[in-house]
Amino acid sequence: MRNSLGLNEQQNKAVTAPLGPVLVLAGPGSGKTKTLTARVAYIIEKKMVRPENILALTFTNKAAKEMRSRVAKLLSRFPGAAEKLTMGTFHAVCARLLRSEIPVLGYGRDFVIFDTEDQKKILRDICDELKLDKKFPPSLFSALISRAKNILQTPAELNLGLEEPFASRLQTVYSKYQDALFSQNGLDFDDLLMLMVKILESSPKILAKYQKKFSCILVDEYQDTNPAQYQFLKLLSVHQNVFVVGDDAQSIYGFRGSDIRNILNFESDFPDCQIIKLEQNYRSSQNILAAAQSVIELNSEQKPKTLWTENGVGEKVSIYLAENERAEAEFVAKKIIQLSSPDASAGEELEYEEEPEQNSNSILDRILKSRRMSGRGSDTFRFALLPQLPKKHDSLKEFCVLYRTHAQSRAIEEVLIQAAIPYQIVGGLKFYERKEIKDMLAYLRLILNYRDLVSLKRVINEPARGIGDRSYQIIRDFIVDLSAAGKEVSPQDFIKGFENLEMLPKAFSAAGDFFKILFEISDTEKSAVLPEVMKLMARKMGYDKFLRDGSEMGETRWENVLELLTVAGKFRALPWREAAVALLEEVALLSEIDQKDENRDSVTLMTLHSAKGLEFDNVFFVGLEEGILPHSRSLVEPGELAEEIRLAYVGLTRARKRLFLLLAQSRRIFGQVQVSQPSRVLKVLPLENLQLLGEAKSLFEELEGELTVKKMDY
DNA sequence: AGCGCTCAGCTTTTT
DNA sequence: GCTGAGCGCT
């Protein structure tokens, strides 16, 4: 039964629930996004809530964008309403609020967001400075600091219950780290949440302002919120108008502090809340659903939920046991060709194993390398070298390959390249992580704020200006001293102080020129456009010539820079400084999945984490082996195993029509061949829903004795 | 100061 | 199998 909006009974109940706390427990494929969108439209239209009073928190920027456009469609009678909604990820929304409120903490409004790489560099410097021994690597601190921030502990409040000497070391490092960020006017990802909460907690005036502004709050993927995000919600939602949607069975971000208890305890946090379950699945076939259901049942603590579907039985779930990761990838490629070609026999004649030519590896290497360089998939190069596929029958958009770790993508990529199947990888090496892009952004950050030491270190000698480590340190200390004095230092005073520094003449004059150019560009008239300013910056700094050294690679890199300028052009309506702040923010908060190109007809490769919320007709789930899924690192801590199971559940439920589960008997890990065991996930799959291909039969005969195992002991 | 080489350590997962 | 730190040479 569906109503005029195409909602079923439960969905409709959720959408039209009275204002007040509502928890929607929505299984995979149950129309969660649709419900959320309809709810937003409903409260505007029927409950007369003004769109500017609505805050909707999504898990990715892409989801926010999509939701906004869907709301706009539903609200065609209220033109412009959708634009007034506040929508985005927790991080993006907090960043926006901090742009106006952060001065109360002493930071400047034009703060920059430091990514994990920047963060590590700061921590490395601190560790070096403190001469800590190898027992205390920077990576340890970055994990612990993040953990502390996720539970809203500032250095002063720090209490993670660690043993000595770890606790006191962490105390020192965390506090120095926070000082370093502050003096550079930088925030890390976790600060965005923590500092915003701190402001709300300490300023009743600001708190009241936002409580009033956001009179209705909606949250997607509620199962993946962390304590800081929870506190943010709790503080703002005095009015109790919180509408959260989630599925405890799909909570997969425990490692970054998300707390499944947030969803499990919603009822006690918001008494009198309504709970609505969406259990009808519109996505998958019965076979696929049955397989997924049997996997999630391994977790005894999951809230019981029974998914059902009116969809057909569909094809059985295929299991394929490959000899190694290459054979696994070859199976994927063959199947894709088979299923995407009008001619059913296509793909059969494809033989990859035919002794590879002597130099075929080096060609492959080149292709892979150039893909990483350009970040644009391998299409360009591949088609020059290999014959094209016959006209597709099914769109390649409907195929996806899922894996637990990024490292697994390589084998798949290699074979897809050889088979001339276009693909795109989500995540991994991102466009904005490319060296030339980060360099350009570092220059830009310096222009906005010369105290940004992370950026200074990055580019002061790029291109080489004869400023080595020693000279950098002298300059750094000089800048730190200036900042310690507290007040803003004008460029004139900076240069004056700089003149007194003692260092090698060559470095001295080079650095002097460097800062003069910096200040000069910083002085560009307000109304200038950002891409132009950046172009000028590249030229004056000699960065364009440096990149375009005549090599092919240099040109590719320069093209990447030009692409960055195109992105920068998006903000041309703004004065260049504000545009720069906006650009830096967008780049920092972009999520992996945001970078997926919907328009390209290609197979999608991604991690299970990136796949959450997506669906495909055909899903290849690779590497179902102990040690990979569940990941070996998860086997030590009890709670983590349950998360691996949920991860598997997320993977299985992405498929609409066909699901292929693959595993290899052996695979290379860290360059070493390792024999692998089938994942425990496979052992609980109901045989009647499976189709065992090739060697998989023998595998299941072996397993047969264990097939009765239902609950795991952990 | 800067280049290039070697070796170690490493990877879950991401805003 | 890749990255980045460290070293030695120019």
Side-chain angles (χ1 to χ4, degrees), chain A residues 166-180:
Chain A
F166 293 95
S168 56
R169 287 287 188 291
L170 177 62
Q171 180 82 54
T172 318
V173 174
Y174 184 12
S175 137
K176 276 186 174 289
Y177 170 73
Q178 219 50 18
D179 289 347

Side-chain angles (χ1 to χ4, degrees), chain A residues 68-280:
Chain A
R68 195 186 295 276
S69 74
R70 283 166 83 162
V71 171
K73 259 191 207 144
L74 290 177
L75 290 178
S76 49
R77 287 171 41 217
F78 299 72
E83 279 72 58
K84 292 184 195 144
L85 299 164
T86 303
M87 239 179 218
T89 62
F90 275 97
H91 288 89
V93 168
C94 285
R96 213 170 311 152
L97 302 186
L98 286 169
R99 291 278 171 220
S100 40
E101 309 302 342
I102 207 167
V104 302
L105 296 179
Y107 290 80
R109 282 199 166 90
D110 54 354
F111 62 83
V112 256
I113 298 162
F114 281 28
D115 66 16
T116 26
E117 198 187 317
D118 301 329
Q119 196 178 354
K120 282 215 186 84
K121 282 182 178 158
I122 298 175
L123 285 168
R124 193 174 306 139
D125 284 352
I126 293 172
C127 290
D128 286 352
E129 189 196 331
L130 293 172
K131 297 200 169 55
L132 294 181
D133 86 26
K134 286 216 179 86
K135 289 196 80 149
F136 307 102
S139 58
L140 174 76
F141 294 114
S142 90
L144 292 174
I145 290 173
S146 179
R147 204 195 292 175
K149 289 184 176 180
N150 280 330
I151 54 174
L152 299 166
Q153 293 180 354
T154 58
E157 301 155 337
L158 182 69
N159 181 13
L160 291 178
L162 298 175
E163 288 167 28
E164 287 302 333
F166 293 95
S168 56
R169 287 287 188 291
L170 177 62
Q171 180 82 54
T172 318
V173 174
Y174 184 12
S175 137
K176 276 186 174 289
Y177 170 73
Q178 219 50 18
D179 289 347
L181 283 175
F182 182 77
S183 74
Q184 299 179 58
N185 202 26
L187 271 64
D188 65 20
F189 289 126
D190 300 316
D191 279 340
L192 294 171
L193 304 171
M194 180 175 80
L195 298 184
M196 191 59 220
V197 170
K198 293 291 170 193
I199 291 176
L200 294 176
E201 280 176 343
S202 60
S203 164
K205 220 177 99 195
I206 296 176
L207 177 63
K209 172 167 129 194
Y210 288 112
Q211 284 172 336
K212 193 169 161 223
K213 170 149 175 72
F214 299 127
S215 66
C216 277
I217 303 179
L218 299 94
V219 190
D220 195 5
E221 308 283 8
Y222 188 65
Q223 75 281 359
D224 285 319
T225 49
N226 68 26
Q229 292 166 330
Y230 171 80
Q231 189 60 19
F232 178 73
L233 283 177
K234 196 79 189 161
L235 284 166
L236 289 183
S237 56
V238 272
H239 41 61
Q240 302 272 305
N241 294 331
V242 271
F243 185 96
V244 308
V245 183
D247 179 6
D248 61 302
Q250 294 184 69
S251 159
I252 55 174
Y253 281 95
F255 71 91
R256 76 173 197 214
S258 75
D259 191 340
I260 195 168
R261 283 173 301 182
N262 286 345
I263 192 163
L264 298 177
N265 298 342
F266 187 84
E267 302 176 59
S268 45
D269 289 332
F270 296 93
D272 306 321
C273 78
Q274 287 213 57
I275 301 181
I276 295 151
K277 287 188 185 178
L278 303 183
E279 295 178 306
Q280 180 173 3

Side-chain angles (χ1 to χ4, degrees), chain A residues 366-496:
Chain A
R366 257 190 50 209
I367 299 173
L368 276 170
K369 220 177 240 162
S370 60
R371 183 190 68 75
R372 300 215 164 88
M373 276 302 310
S374 70
R376 246 144 313 112
S378 53
D379 311 43
T380 348
F381 289 84
R382 181 158 24 80
F383 289 126
L385 291 161
L386 296 153
Q388 218 164 331
L389 278 176
K391 180 104 180 65
K392 312 292 178 322
H393 190 59
D394 267 12
S395 169
L396 290 178
K397 284 178 191 168
E398 283 307 331
F399 291 85
C400 110
V401 184
L402 299 178
Y403 36 77
R404 176 68 236 268
T405 66
H406 283 301
Q408 290 169 260
S409 70
R410 199 153 301 131
I412 312 278
E413 272 187 86
E414 284 178 8
V415 173
L416 291 182
I417 287 171
Q418 288 200 332
I421 300 170
Y423 66 88
Q424 57 178 319
I425 290 199
V426 173
L429 189 48
K430 291 170 234 164
F431 177 75
Y432 295 106
E433 280 173 11
R434 264 157 248 284
K435 187 182 176 309
E436 59 275 20
I437 301 301
K438 292 215 73 166
D439 285 350
M440 285 291 289
L441 295 175
Y443 273 119
L444 191 59
R445 276 161 59 163
L446 276 176
I447 286 170
L448 295 180
N449 169 23
Y450 66 84
R451 291 180 304 175
D452 183 335
L453 292 172
V454 175
S455 299
L456 182 67
K457 189 174 185 188
R458 181 172 189 104
V459 295
I460 193 163
N461 207 28
E462 195 81 13
R465 301 183 170 89
I467 305 170
D469 217 33
R470 185 71 201 114
S471 309
Y472 163 73
Q473 279 171 27
I474 294 171
I475 299 168
R476 181 194 64 188
D477 293 345
F478 168 63
I479 292 177
V480 170
D481 285 347
L482 282 183
S483 315
K487 56 180 182 336
E488 276 297 310
V489 178
S490 72
Q492 292 74 21
D493 290 344
F494 181 92
I495 299 287
K496 209 182 283 168

Side-chain angles (χ1 to χ4, degrees), chain A residues 473-711:
Chain A
Q473 279 171 27
I474 294 171
I475 299 168
R476 181 194 64 188
D477 293 345
F478 168 63
I479 292 177
V480 170
D481 285 347
L482 282 183
S483 315
K487 56 180 182 336
E488 276 297 310
V489 178
S490 72
Q492 292 74 21
D493 290 344
F494 181 92
I495 299 287
K496 209 182 283 168
F498 182 84
E499 299 293 333
N500 298 326
L501 296 183
E502 278 181 39
M503 58 176 122
L504 290 174
K506 190 175 152 207
F508 180 73
S509 77
D513 290 346
F514 179 86
F515 282 107
K516 273 177 206 137
I517 298 173
L518 212 59
F519 293 136
E520 199 181 302
I521 297 182
S522 182
D523 235 14
T524 308
E525 56 162 352
K526 275 200 180 76
S527 60
V529 230
L530 182 60
E532 294 304 321
V533 176
M534 289 173 75
K535 216 182 228 167
L536 185 72
M537 167 187 97
R539 213 188 63 228
K540 292 236 174 182
M541 287 293 182
Y543 195 74
D544 53 351
K545 284 212 186 75
F546 164 74
L547 276 188
R548 310 181 74 179
D549 57 359
S551 71
E552 204 180 311
M553 202 174 81
E555 276 317 299
T556 314
R557 291 189 148 164
W558 180 245
E559 279 165 27
N560 285 335
V561 169
L562 292 180
E563 195 167 323
L564 177 68
L565 295 184
T566 312
V567 179
K570 266 187 17 189
F571 305 103
R572 59 173 57 250
L574 297 172
W576 72 269
R577 269 177 184 276
E578 285 169 43
V581 171
L583 175 71
L584 290 168
E585 178 172 314
E586 168 160 317
V587 165
L589 296 182
L590 214 55
S591 63
E592 298 212 320
I593 198 70
D594 291 334
Q595 302 183 47
K596 179 164 141 61
D597 182 351
E598 297 296 334
N599 299 318
R600 224 162 71 196
D601 187 27
S602 60
V603 177
T604 306
L605 274 58
M606 63 189 154
T607 62
L608 293 164
H609 285 86
S610 290
K612 195 174 65 168
L614 305 182
E615 55 183 353
F616 298 84
D617 281 346
N618 308 289
V619 170
F620 298 89
F621 193 157
V622 303
L624 280 153
E625 297 147 43
E626 285 292 295
I628 295 185
L629 185 77
H631 195 272
S632 50
R633 298 279 290 242
S634 73
L635 298 172
V636 270
E637 293 248 10
E640 288 185 27
L641 187 50
E643 186 152 309
E644 298 289 304
I645 300 300
R646 293 193 292 267
L647 210 38
Y649 179 68
V650 168
L652 299 175
T653 52
R654 297 310 96 196
R656 284 195 284 250
K657 294 185 190 151
R658 296 191 194 90
L659 176 58
F660 298 91
L661 306 180
L662 292 94
L663 68 159
Q665 283 168 321
S666 73
R667 80 170 61 230
R668 290 174 89 92
I669 294 173
F670 294 142
Q672 295 269 302
V673 177
Q674 303 236 315
V675 178
S676 31
Q677 295 301 315
S679 167
R680 64 192 75 195
V681 164
L682 293 174
K683 298 182 187 176
V684 297
L685 298 176
L687 274 175
E688 69 264 27
N689 302 309
L690 304 181
Q691 182 182 15
L692 307 175
L693 304 177
E695 293 298 299
K697 284 201 186 77
S698 63
L699 170 76
F700 268 73
E701 274 157 26
E702 262 172 60
L703 289 179
E704 199 134 30
E706 308 173 55
L707 283 174
T708 46
V709 182
K710 271 299 174 194
K711 301 266 173 191

